[in-house]
Amino acid sequence: MSAVTGRYAPSPSGRMHLGNLCCCLLAWLSAKSKGGRVVLRIEDLDTMRCPRSFADLLESDLAWLGISADEGGSAGGAHGPYYQSERSAIYQHYYDILDRRGLVYPCFCSRSQLHAADAPHRSDGQVVYPGTCRDLTPEQIAARARPRPPAWRVRVPDEEIAFMDGHLGPYRENLAQDCGDFYLRRADGVFAYQLAVVVDDALMGVTEVVRGADLLSSTPRQLWLYGELGLKAPEFIHMPLLLASDGRRLSKRDGDVSLETLKARYTPEEIIGRLGYLCGLQSAPDPRTPAELADGFSWDRVPQEDILLPDGLF
Ligand code: GLU
């Protein structure tokens, strides 16, 4: 087995756009340039938003581009299933470990309560949970559970978690002050991303996580979960986000940069070459194969700041 195992962990709620694709490409390049391999895990916890048809399209798009995963997705493998929607029993096992330690509690706060104007916010705009439901008595819990079922949070310690990001450098966060107790499970029983991603990356033998910088601030929470669950954490490498030329986040609704449009207009090498140029891996947007870009790939060449998609490149 090779030393580096990278992964793609897309949530296929639509056709891939250039940002998703760029993330898959850099994950592939990073792993392959070290002689490693890549696992595909479909993050379809929200089954309504992520139908299987989008996951299938994503796999055929990756194959067309020449950056298919070596394990997972519909092809399966030794660590399956690779669809989060089929892994609830596994998440339950790890959830129960935290629950038995008294770390899990029900939260009855509504969305509007949580997002009240005076709620403390972190720098990325997310709400720091003030602990409203942390110390409810059994009687209060019983009374509140009747109108509607609760979601479930995990108690975090007043502790700083620091790590060295493989691309962005040192990052630290105090869990209690900067984040607060976070969700492990939604009111409808679906397990939360933060728990699922930790369990899956660990059980699938992932050693290197490449993903967008928008998830940098999730990493301290995840590292803490790795520790609590006795699982081995991978290296984290956060990459710049690809933004539209006006600075907007790309979204799956931006039809102009979806794979559907790109496929009709370009060859795979033209798309890969242009992305390689955007990511600093070559000096001109010339056509390239993924293997050509992997040769000489280094994170030092990739910018740390978000990348603006120049008008007319695609
Ligand atoms: N499923 C997440 C997404 O598509 C990525 C999660 C991760 O890479 O940890 O944005």
Side-chain angles (χ1 to χ4, degrees):
M1 203 191 204
S2 60
V4 172
T5 300
R7 49 79 148 173
Y8 309 140
S11 302
S13 58
R15 194 75 184 259
M16 270 207 287
H17 61 58
L18 271 179
N20 311 131
L21 173 52
C22 195
C23 187
C24 290
L25 177 63
L26 288 185
W28 190 93
L29 292 173
S30 187
K32 295 288 171 174
S33 65
K34 299 166 198 154
R37 48 203 290 286
V38 182
V39 173
L40 170 63
R41 177 177 65 253
I42 303 294
E43 302 216 322
D44 59 350
L45 285 168
D46 195 336
T47 47
M48 300 296 278
R49 285 185 59 236
C50 300
R52 185 64 61 97
S53 54
F54 283 136
D56 292 344
L57 268 175
L58 181 136
E59 281 193 57
S60 63
D61 287 340
L62 292 176
W64 181 75
L65 288 157
I67 52 171
S68 289
D70 304 287
E71 175 188 325
S74 60
H79 307 94
Y82 293 88
Y83 296 82
Q84 289 191 327
S85 58
E86 296 173 6
R87 296 176 63 80
S88 300
I90 301 172
Y91 306 141
Q92 182 76 55
H93 171 79
Y94 287 93
Y95 177 94
D96 288 344
I97 293 177
L98 299 169
D99 194 23
R100 278 198 297 272
R101 266 183 230 152
L103 291 174
V104 181
Y105 66 87
C107 172
F108 299 91
C109 295
S110 66
R111 194 176 277 268
S112 55
Q113 269 170 296
L114 292 173
H115 292 271
D118 58 352
H121 282 72
R122 20 190 308 156
S123 53
D124 62 7
Q126 289 184 39
V127 174
V128 178
Y129 184 61
T132 317
C133 296
R134 201 173 216 241
D135 297 309
L136 296 180
T137 62
E139 294 72 30
Q140 286 172 316
I141 290 173
R144 274 164 223 216
R146 231 164 288 129
R148 62 199 185 107
W152 300 86
R153 288 183 187 269
V154 64
R155 280 170 216 279
V156 295
D158 189 2
E159 187 183 302
E160 187 165 84
I161 305 281
F163 76 102
M164 182 60 75
D165 186 82
H167 188 50
L168 300 179
Y171 185 80
R172 59 185 62 237
E173 196 170 289
N174 178 298
L175 287 181
Q177 288 161 31
D178 302 327
C179 168
D181 299 340
F182 59 90
Y183 287 126
L184 283 189
R185 195 169 201 176
R186 299 192 328 201
D188 61 6
V190 174
F191 290 99
Y193 157 71
Q194 305 289 356
L195 177 69
V197 74
V198 164
V199 168
D200 289 348
D201 281 334
L203 297 190
M204 292 176 184
V206 170
T207 62
E208 177 179 284
V209 166
V210 172
R211 60 186 181 191
D214 53 334
L215 288 166
L216 181 66
S217 64
S218 284
T219 311
R221 265 171 277 181
Q222 294 172 11
L223 283 169
W224 176 72
L225 281 177
Y226 277 102
E228 285 298 314
L229 295 171
L231 298 171
K232 189 168 167 12
E235 186 190 1
F236 288 95
I237 305 178
H238 288 87
M239 52 171 278
L241 298 179
L242 202 56
L243 303 176
S245 54
D246 59 5
R248 254 182 323 113
R249 283 281 291 277
L250 296 180
S251 90
K252 294 188 174 120
R253 287 181 297 275
D254 283 325
D256 51 342
V257 287
S258 88
L259 251 284
E260 190 174 2
T261 319
L262 293 172
K263 249 176 140 166
R265 232 185 265 169
Y266 301 107
T267 64
E269 291 75 22
E270 284 170 335
I271 297 174
I272 298 286
R274 281 168 166 80
L275 282 176
Y277 165 70
L278 273 179
C279 294
L281 302 177
Q282 60 169 348
S283 53
D286 300 331
R288 286 284 179 275
T289 63
E292 283 166 344
L293 284 187
D295 195 19
F297 173 83
S298 160
W299 279 103
D300 293 342
R301 302 171 71 178
V302 179
Q304 289 184 320
E305 316 73 46
D306 290 345
I307 301 170
L308 288 184
L309 195 58
D311 283 328
L313 183 67
F314 281 98

